[in-house]
Amino acid sequence: MNKSTNNNFSNINIHASAPGKLTLFGEHFVVYGNSAILAAINKRISVTLSPNKSNSINIKFGRRKLAARFSEIKSSKLIPRSQAFLYPVLNSIASAKEELSGLSGLDVLIESQIPHGEGLGSSAAVCVAIVGALQSLVHKEGKANIFEAASQTERLIHKNSSGADCYASTYGGVLLFGPNFGNKQISIKGKLQFLVCMTGIKHKTQNLVSKVKRMKDKNPSKFSELAERANDICFKAKSAMITGDVYSLGNLLTENHKLLQKLQISHPRLEEYIEICMNSGALGCKLTGAGGGGAVIALLPNQNNSDTLLRIQNKIPNSMLAELDYKGVHLDQSLNSEKKF
Ligand code: PMV
């Protein structure tokens, strides 16, 4: 971050929020430079920063709390693994310390609508929201800066991250993400309605990424054959979205899931949910994100979808409709009159 002089930190609250995401196509393969399609969704993580005079950083994230002296925040590496949820917050504060030098203390309140560990991008959204809030506090602007700093921070949680989740959370919309092809917004024709069915089986992205890497190292030619097919699916899916061909899109989702089965990152509960969704009239279905648990996404038909929805929700109560988000990270400030902490 640039050094900012003349910062007056008193009397303001900074709010930033960032959306979660669905990986529609290409997870895992994207770690190796292939394409993926992600969609930001209307479930957000919000961060409120309130400068205080107490000389300490007080973080509240759900039921979890941490207080540390401002002068002690050097690096997230000092924090035990059990407090990994704090890495993005502490690391972002440590990186901005020079610019925050006029600050005595800070209350950080984090609130989440994104279920954690279900592959819906909650870690990336925390990184994007905290970085966005801190950049706003030191009057630094621009989504490109937020994406850059947030994706570096996310690599502390999951070191081989492709950066795709942070990209979707920063910019919003539906994105074709590809480190080797450039990142592009896709303009969708018509409406896409996804039902997210959560297994409640939490996954660790880093472990699943390592599992896929072992498989790739053991059998590189099989992996590159699957990666090529996944790339092809991504490009066909992009065309189906542009033309509004939801039936092809549904088939492509299901086809992508078959490749993920071959990577051995599915789970019996995910397979059970996929069968329920397909038997209830979904147009296509797949696991989303790292796998090994987490969630299934089902594309609903545009017409008469309430029957399909009811049939699925009767059997999978822990499911939610996801609307697409086009805002990405959102920042605003207010006077520090009413304290939320
Ligand atoms: O399950 P999530 O939300 O952590 O998504 C992981 C997606 C991967 O492609 C497996 C990893 C990555 O960095 O893109």
Side-chain angles (χ1 to χ4, degrees), residues 21 27-28 30-31 119-121 158 160-162 165 203 205 209 289-290:
K21 59 81 214 189
E27 52 272 267
H28 285 288
V30 68
V31 172
L120 305 179
H158 142 44
N160 299 319
S161 165
S162 62
D165 290 12
H203 68 203
T205 301
V209 169

Side-chain angles (χ1 to χ4, degrees), residues 244-278:
D245 181 355
V246 285
Y247 295 99
S248 297
L249 197 62
N251 291 335
L252 290 163
L253 285 169
T254 306
E255 226 183 282
N256 191 152
H257 181 73
K258 289 187 182 138
L259 301 181
L260 297 171
Q261 284 174 326
K262 296 206 165 85
L263 294 183
Q264 297 180 2
I265 50 133
S266 191
H267 183 280
R269 188 68 56 80
L270 293 169
E271 295 301 318
E272 182 198 324
Y273 281 12
I274 287 176
E275 201 179 324
I276 293 172
C277 292
M278 293 309 286

Side-chain angles (χ1 to χ4, degrees), residues 166-332:
C166 283
Y167 198 85
S169 186
T170 305
Y171 291 96
V174 181
L175 308 151
L176 178 67
F177 182 92
N180 295 334
F181 306 100
N183 308 320
K184 294 184 187 70
Q185 293 273 351
I186 303 175
S187 47
I188 307 273
K189 185 169 177 202
K191 200 172 172 194
L192 296 181
Q193 294 206 82
F194 288 99
L195 186 69
V196 183
C197 304
M198 290 162 286
T199 63
I201 302 164
K202 310 273 176 234
H203 68 203
K204 280 232 158 57
T205 301
Q206 186 60 48
N207 297 348
L208 288 141
V209 169
S210 303
K211 180 173 179 184
V212 171
K213 182 167 185 313
R214 285 195 294 278
M215 183 256 169
K216 175 180 174 286
D217 292 346
K218 209 166 145 196
N219 201 338
S221 59
K222 183 175 173 203
F223 185 84
S224 53
E225 186 215 318
L226 296 176
E228 214 171 290
R229 283 167 61 193
N231 237 12
D232 189 46
I233 289 175
C234 264
F235 285 99
K236 286 185 177 146
K238 178 182 156 226
S239 306
M241 285 174 177
I242 292 170
T243 57
D245 181 355
V246 285
Y247 295 99
S248 297
L249 197 62
N251 291 335
L252 290 163
L253 285 169
T254 306
E255 226 183 282
N256 191 152
H257 181 73
K258 289 187 182 138
L259 301 181
L260 297 171
Q261 284 174 326
K262 296 206 165 85
L263 294 183
Q264 297 180 2
I265 50 133
S266 191
H267 183 280
R269 188 68 56 80
L270 293 169
E271 295 301 318
E272 182 198 324
Y273 281 12
I274 287 176
E275 201 179 324
I276 293 172
C277 292
M278 293 309 286
N279 289 341
S280 306
L283 300 180
C285 212
K286 69 183 271 293
L287 71 79
T288 185
V296 152
I297 50 172
L299 180 64
L300 299 179
N302 279 338
Q303 263 108 46
N304 305 325
N305 61 25
S306 52
D307 290 350
T308 304
L309 187 63
L310 277 179
R311 278 197 290 267
I312 300 176
Q313 287 189 322
N314 267 340
K315 295 197 170 131
I316 312 174
N318 195 13
S319 54
M320 64 182 189
L321 272 175
E323 303 274 331
L324 301 186
D325 167 278
Y326 286 94
K327 228 167 31 177
V329 60
H330 177 76
L331 313 172
D332 70 296

